[in-house]
Amino acid sequence: MTRRGRLRIYLGAAPGVGKTYAMLCEAHRRAERGTDVVVAFVEHHDRPRTKALLDGLEQVPCREVRYGSATRAEMDTDAVLRRRPAVALVDDMAHTNLPGSRNTKRWQDIEELLEAGIDVISTVNIQHLESLGDVVESITGVRQRETVPDEVVRRAGQIELVDMAPEALRRRMAHGNIFAPDEVDAAMSHYFRPGNLTALRELALLWTADRVDDYLQQYRSEQGIRTTWQARERIVVGVTGGPEGSTLIRRAARMAAKSSGAEILAVYVSRADGLTSASPRRLADQRTLVEQLGGTFHHIIGDDVPSALLDFARGVNANQIVLGSSRRKPWQYIFGPGVGMTVARESGPDIDVHIVTHGEVAKGRGLPAARGAILGRSRRITGWCVSLAGPPVLTVLLPSPEPSVTLASDVLMFMAVTVLAALVGGLYPGMASAALSSVLLNYYFTEPVSRWVVDEGHSLVVLIVFFAIAVAVATVVDRSARRTQQAARLRAESETLTLLAGSVLRGDDTLGALLERARETFGMETAALLERDPSRPGWTCAGSVSAGAARPVRSPDEADVDVPVGDHTMLAMTGRVLPAEDRRVLGAFAAHAAALLDRQRLKDEAVRAHKLAEGNRIRTSLLAAVSHDLRTPLAAIKASVTSLRSTDVAWSKEDEEGLLESIEEGADRLDQLVGNLLDMSRLQTGTVEPLIRDTGLDEVVLRALSGVPADSVELDVPETLPFVAADPGLLERSVANVVENAVKYSPPGTPVLVRGSALGQRVELRIVDRGPGVADEDKERIFAPFQRQGDTPRGNGVGLGLAVARGFAEAMGGTLDAEDTPGGGLTMVLSLPAASQRPQAQPDRGSQRRPAQTPEPEKTTPCTGCS
């Protein structure tokens, strides 16, 4: 039987990272060692370095396939099978073969080669894996049509990740090493954005890391290896929900900090019968702590705690276990050595066990508080009715004892009534039914009838066994009902605490929403967080927020339930008195409410501080602008007016026209400067209220370009683009500011390209210039008010153009960002949400020159090398 060939795959995050190059380099290494290597199919995409590596390698001729009016090359699988090399290179395993091929997909061709015993080296990108199709589409907006089943890739004997940083890949693309020059700009502005590449790279790294762990676990399983391999530091912390848990977690975090890449796994082991339970509040706090320290929390079930803990540690390949010294008192060691000593004895040489001392050593564990879960009142009443009325009714219905009817038949009937009473009412109704049934059986159904004596010994045994079984059944049913209710309650508490912790940690809840959730959870009328100032008497409602329609609580004296949080804060609720078991979860709500209040206040203080600092900076910049930039056009206007009014000089008609033109230019500059200042003032005060409606981008752009020279812009905005949801006036102003900046900093004779395109549910307008560009660290700073960079001369605006443009874009639900232009320069990307309505299809005008316009605009904030 022919052995199956081995598959090696070079996996990449995106096209161009070097998968084919790495595959060809591996082919040369194998050929130099004497391996029979052939190139079955390689797509070099006319890249010179890739084509050069094909020299010296045998290539199996491709099969020419007619497709429409063109002829395409496909891998000739039959020729490769006839050639039967040791190793075949097959590029792009996700490729879809042209109609008429023997297989639909190239990976199916590869499977044939592997079945024939030929080793195959292939390539694939992470976006082509079947399971990641939806994820890739959500990232890039592009649905991959060519995919490979994950199982095919996982079966590869070796997967090698070809990794490259997004910046390096885009730089390689900008240099023309991947795509043709006319395709670079479109590729970098859509699929090859830095964010897309970063997300795809993370997907590739995570997928490969998972496969490495799978291979390691598979190997350990196949070899029967139970010992821990210290390939990576993993520290398991055993917590009991006691007060020492936080000490153990912090100790483990310090140990992990000494080893790069170490993991912390906190584990709580609960018994399967649920008879013991730690403090849910402490467990929630410890879960939060370990997650804050970068670890994970695990809850496992096991009756034998040491064995469960060791099984978990070996399962995750941990090499250290941290446990606390026992809290048991000395006399309690007569029952056994304890969890810590047992784990240390049975851990073996592959796991180190650390016993950490703490403040609770030998203070005793205490007994779990009893939770008297009981049945509902109506159910207990029904149970008592069945237990007291059921046996007499059954006595009346049953016929008088006959010789043919044994006592056992009557006993079974009364047993059914007793079980029913226990099922409905619990223990005591069941026991009452058992006692009453025994009496009635003795008096009416046991010889001699109507006497309180039993003549036959076996009848006495039947009655005794009946009573014992009835009591046992009632006890089991009652305990089962109580355990079920306890489990349901604990599950509800766990779900409530999990939801609460998750929402607060994610920042989803406001204080009012949290109080309303607490009120609804416990069925109270009102809820409020009270606080008091030590320097003043009385309590106040924190944040002036309360929940409930009734009058809010003003002091703890008015509350039916109050839970203190610290010395000066308290959660107060009205409506009913809560049982003690509810206060545990209520305490978690109170702690989260206090933390949320503190966080909200810190956030408000930070916002106020930021606004004050921003206001001071703007005032300083405004004074500088008024003192210089506004005075410059005023000085020109003043000089021109003074000259015109002078009687000492006789001005010619041409001179007067020049002076008037100077006055007009100065006035236009002043008008635009003041307009930008007013727009920025509106943005700073939040008074911009856009009137959103469906807007055609091509019409707005044409109006926005009225302030730049006719030959300075090349327009490529198809009329078939979807409408955008925007305010036409704000959009026009935003586009005008960005375009005027680009024109000002583009080299003479090089027009600025304004291009529109649709991407998913967004419409983008890209303003591309070939100016000096902006450093990466300055790409965000250029959008700040009063920012000018480089050698921009004073008097060329106050540095508000881009700030106003971005402010208007964000007010309309859009974005404005800066990117590098391939080959040099800066590209401004204005992205807006697409409207539901689409324009009617019309002939695309393509790239066009805008009609000439006259007035030259006031120079706004520079986009490449300024602002």
Side-chain angles (χ1 to χ4, degrees):
M1 180 178 178
T2 305
R3 73 162 182 88
R4 179 181 169 86
R6 292 184 295 270
L7 176 62
R8 176 171 181 169
I9 295 177
Y10 286 94
L11 176 68
V17 296
K19 303 180 300 300
T20 305
Y21 190 90
M23 179 180 68
L24 291 173
C25 289
E26 175 65 18
H28 279 282
R29 284 192 292 270
R30 296 196 182 197
E32 290 172 359
R33 295 195 298 264
T35 305
D36 183 16
V37 182
V38 301
V39 177
F41 188 89
V42 165
E43 187 67 63
H44 53 71
H45 298 288
D46 292 326
R47 298 168 188 167
R49 296 184 179 181
T50 305
K51 292 173 67 175
L53 285 175
L54 288 171
D55 294 341
L57 294 176
E58 179 184 349
Q59 301 182 45
V60 176
C62 293
R63 182 170 55 89
E64 300 294 331
V65 179
R66 189 77 178 175
Y67 186 68
S69 60
T71 302
R72 307 283 180 84
E74 289 284 2
M75 181 177 74
D76 193 339
T77 307
D78 292 329
V80 178
L81 291 172
R82 288 193 299 271
R83 171 63 176 77
R84 200 173 183 78
V87 179
L89 307 185
V90 183
D91 203 7
D92 190 10
M93 70 183 305
H95 172 74
T96 300
N97 294 329
L98 293 174
S101 302
R102 62 188 295 167
N103 292 311
T104 305
K105 297 285 188 177
R106 184 169 291 165
W107 63 264
Q108 295 171 326
D109 296 334
I110 293 175
E111 286 292 311
E112 285 196 34
L113 299 181
L114 294 173
E115 290 296 333
I118 302 173
D119 293 345
V120 176
I121 304 177
S122 188
T123 64
V124 70
N125 285 321
I126 192 68
Q127 67 265 28
H128 295 300
L129 295 182
E130 185 93 31
S131 65
L132 299 178
D134 294 338
V135 179
V136 172
E137 182 180 12
S138 66
I139 294 171
T140 63
V142 178
R143 182 69 181 181
Q144 297 296 328
R145 303 297 180 187
E146 298 184 328
T147 59
V148 181
D150 289 45
E151 186 58 31
V152 174
V153 181
R154 285 191 176 123
R155 286 202 301 263
Q158 186 174 352
I159 299 176
E160 183 172 332
L161 178 64
V162 182
D163 187 34
M164 177 174 288
E167 296 80 5
L169 179 59
R170 285 171 59 85
R171 190 161 50 248
R172 176 185 288 184
M173 187 175 300
H175 293 162
N177 295 333
I178 300 176
F179 294 128
D182 58 341
E183 300 175 352
V184 170
D185 184 56
M188 293 184 69
S189 62
H190 290 86
Y191 193 88
F192 288 84
R193 297 180 177 187
N196 291 1
L197 295 178
T198 301
L200 292 173
R201 185 190 188 196
E202 183 178 10
L203 276 179
L205 290 170
L206 291 174
W207 195 91
T208 307
D210 287 344
R211 300 293 76 71
V212 172
D213 279 344
D214 289 346
Y215 292 152
L216 179 59
Q217 296 298 335
Q218 179 183 354
Y219 179 80
R220 283 163 52 86
S221 176
E222 291 173 352
Q223 302 299 321
I225 300 172
R226 293 284 297 164
T227 59
T228 299
W229 284 7
Q230 300 185 6
R232 183 177 183 180
E233 289 287 337
R234 288 186 173 91
I235 304 173
V236 171
V237 187
V239 296
T240 63
E244 78 283 358
S246 58
T247 302
L248 303 182
I249 293 171
R250 290 189 177 94
R251 174 62 176 160
R254 291 195 296 272
M255 295 168 58
K258 298 177 182 178
S259 177
S260 177
E263 292 183 39
I264 306 173
L265 301 94
V267 180
Y268 169 67
V269 183
S270 63
R271 297 186 186 277
D273 57 11
L275 294 177
T276 59
S277 178
S279 166
R281 180 174 181 177
R282 284 202 180 112
L283 280 179
D285 293 341
Q286 290 165 14
R287 177 190 293 271
T288 302
L289 176 61
V290 73
E291 289 174 351
Q292 288 174 347
L293 294 174
T296 55
F297 191 93
H298 305 267
H299 185 174
I300 61 177
I301 307 296
D303 290 326
D304 187 350
V305 176
S307 297
L309 196 59
L310 286 170
D311 288 343
F312 176 84
R314 293 191 176 104
V316 298
N317 201 28
N319 49 21
Q320 298 188 63
I321 297 178
V322 177
L323 299 172
S325 297
S326 178
R327 285 187 283 147
R328 296 197 293 177
K329 293 183 180 296
W331 63 267
Q332 291 177 311
Y333 281 97
I334 63 175
F335 299 108
V339 173
M341 293 299 100
T342 305
V343 171
R345 183 181 66 246
E346 298 180 0
S347 61
D350 53 332
I351 299 179
D352 298 332
V353 179
H354 305 267
I355 305 297
V356 179
T357 60
H358 50 84
E360 303 297 320
V361 174
K363 289 186 177 180
R365 296 178 59 90
L367 295 175
R371 291 184 291 273
I374 58 175
L375 301 173
R377 183 171 180 269
S378 61
R379 185 168 170 180
R380 283 185 286 122
I381 292 174
T382 305
W384 278 110
C385 292
V386 172
S387 68
L388 297 178
V393 171
L394 185 61
T395 301
V396 175
L397 294 177
L398 287 176
S400 300
E402 300 176 2
S404 61
V405 179
T406 63
L407 180 62
S409 300
D410 298 327
V411 167
L412 288 177
M413 299 298 292
F414 279 94
M415 177 67 75
V417 174
T418 301
V419 170
L420 178 61
L423 286 172
V424 176
L427 176 61
Y428 295 112
M431 293 179 66
S433 178
L436 183 58
S437 297
S438 299
V439 172
L440 295 175
L441 280 168
N442 180 22
Y443 190 82
Y444 290 105
F445 299 95
T446 306
E447 295 293 340
V449 178
S450 301
R451 296 181 61 187
W452 298 106
V453 295
V454 179
D455 287 346
E456 299 181 5
H458 74 276
S459 297
L460 179 61
V461 171
V462 169
L463 291 176
I464 293 174
V465 171
F466 164 78
F467 182 81
I469 292 177
V471 172
V473 169
T475 303
V476 170
V477 170
D478 178 77
R479 182 168 296 181
S480 175
R482 292 174 182 271
R483 290 288 177 257
T484 301
Q485 187 177 9
Q486 288 178 1
R489 179 178 184 82
L490 290 175
R491 182 177 61 187
E493 289 181 2
S494 175
E495 291 174 353
T496 301
L497 290 171
T498 300
L499 179 62
L500 175 64
S503 63
V504 172
L505 288 174
R506 291 191 302 269
D508 295 343
D509 275 345
T510 61
L511 180 58
L514 183 64
L515 293 175
E516 182 64 25
R517 181 178 297 174
R519 187 189 69 81
E520 293 176 352
T521 300
F522 296 99
M524 306 297 283
E525 293 180 0
T526 63
L529 189 65
L530 304 180
E531 62 178 358
R532 63 180 176 183
D533 188 344
S535 61
R536 289 184 293 180
W539 294 80
T540 59
C541 188
S544 300
V545 176
S546 63
R551 186 178 70 88
V553 185
R554 297 299 181 185
S555 71
D557 296 335
E558 301 176 2
D560 294 311
V561 178
D562 58 87
V563 180
V565 186
D567 297 331
H568 309 295
T569 311
M570 177 177 295
L571 177 62
M573 307 177 77
T574 61
R576 63 188 176 94
V577 177
L578 293 178
E581 55 264 30
D582 283 342
R583 296 180 68 89
R584 178 173 57 249
V585 180
L586 188 58
F589 272 97
H592 281 302
L596 193 60
L597 178 64
D598 291 339
R599 186 173 67 184
Q600 185 60 46
R601 286 176 173 170
L602 289 173
K603 187 189 228 179
D604 292 341
E605 290 177 5
V607 170
R608 286 195 296 269
H610 177 73
K611 285 184 177 179
L612 288 173
E614 187 68 14
N616 289 333
R617 189 184 67 80
I618 290 178
R619 280 192 292 272
T620 302
S621 301
L622 181 59
L623 289 173
V626 171
S627 64
H628 186 283
D629 295 288
L630 293 181
R631 291 179 61 186
T632 300
L634 282 174
I637 294 173
K638 174 68 173 175
S640 298
V641 171
T642 302
S643 299
L644 287 173
R645 295 188 61 186
S646 174
T647 59
D648 299 337
V649 180
W651 301 103
S652 65
K653 187 67 173 176
E654 292 77 7
D655 292 336
E656 289 180 353
E657 289 292 336
L659 291 173
L660 289 174
E661 183 178 352
S662 177
I663 293 172
E664 184 178 11
E665 289 178 356
D668 290 340
R669 180 175 297 177
L670 275 177
D671 178 66
Q672 195 140 359
L673 285 171
V674 173
N676 276 335
L677 287 171
L678 292 176
D679 289 339
M680 181 51 58
S681 175
R682 292 167 58 203
L683 289 170
Q684 292 289 337
T685 56
T687 57
V688 176
E689 297 182 0
L691 302 175
I692 303 298
R693 61 184 179 87
D694 294 353
T695 305
L697 191 61
D698 55 332
E699 298 177 359
V700 174
V701 171
L702 281 175
R703 294 197 302 268
L705 302 185
S706 61
V708 295
D711 58 350
S712 61
V713 176
E714 182 178 335
L715 189 60
D716 182 12
V717 181
E719 293 180 343
T720 55
L721 278 180
F723 289 129
V724 295
D727 183 313
L730 298 184
L731 177 58
E732 180 181 344
R733 187 62 179 275
S734 183
V735 173
N737 281 358
V738 176
V739 171
E740 288 165 5
N741 275 328
V743 168
K744 180 171 64 174
Y745 284 89
S746 286
T750 304
V752 171
L753 174 62
V754 179
R755 172 183 294 163
S757 60
L759 183 65
Q761 298 301 314
R762 310 284 291 183
V763 176
E764 287 188 351
L765 188 69
R766 307 180 71 85
I767 297 92
V768 183
D769 67 55
R770 297 291 178 178
V774 173
D776 290 339
E777 59 271 17
D778 294 329
K779 282 189 173 63
E780 281 301 313
R781 192 159 65 89
I782 61 176
F783 292 103
F786 304 106
Q787 291 294 320
R788 293 185 295 189
Q789 278 187 261
D791 56 354
T792 304
R794 302 288 290 181
N796 271 358
V798 294
L800 288 175
L802 291 185
V804 170
R806 172 176 273 191
F808 284 170
E810 292 177 348
M812 295 181 291
T815 60
L816 179 62
D817 299 299
E819 297 178 358
D820 289 326
T821 300
L826 197 70
T827 298
M828 287 291 179
V829 183
L830 176 61
S831 176
L832 294 166
S836 56
Q837 181 183 357
R838 299 183 66 89
Q840 296 181 353
Q842 297 179 11
D844 189 0
R845 291 176 298 180
S847 298
Q848 57 182 311
R849 297 290 181 176
R850 199 180 30 77
Q853 305 292 335
T854 50
E856 186 172 346
E858 184 267 342
K859 308 298 192 283
T860 56
T861 322
C863 105
T864 59
C866 80
S867 188

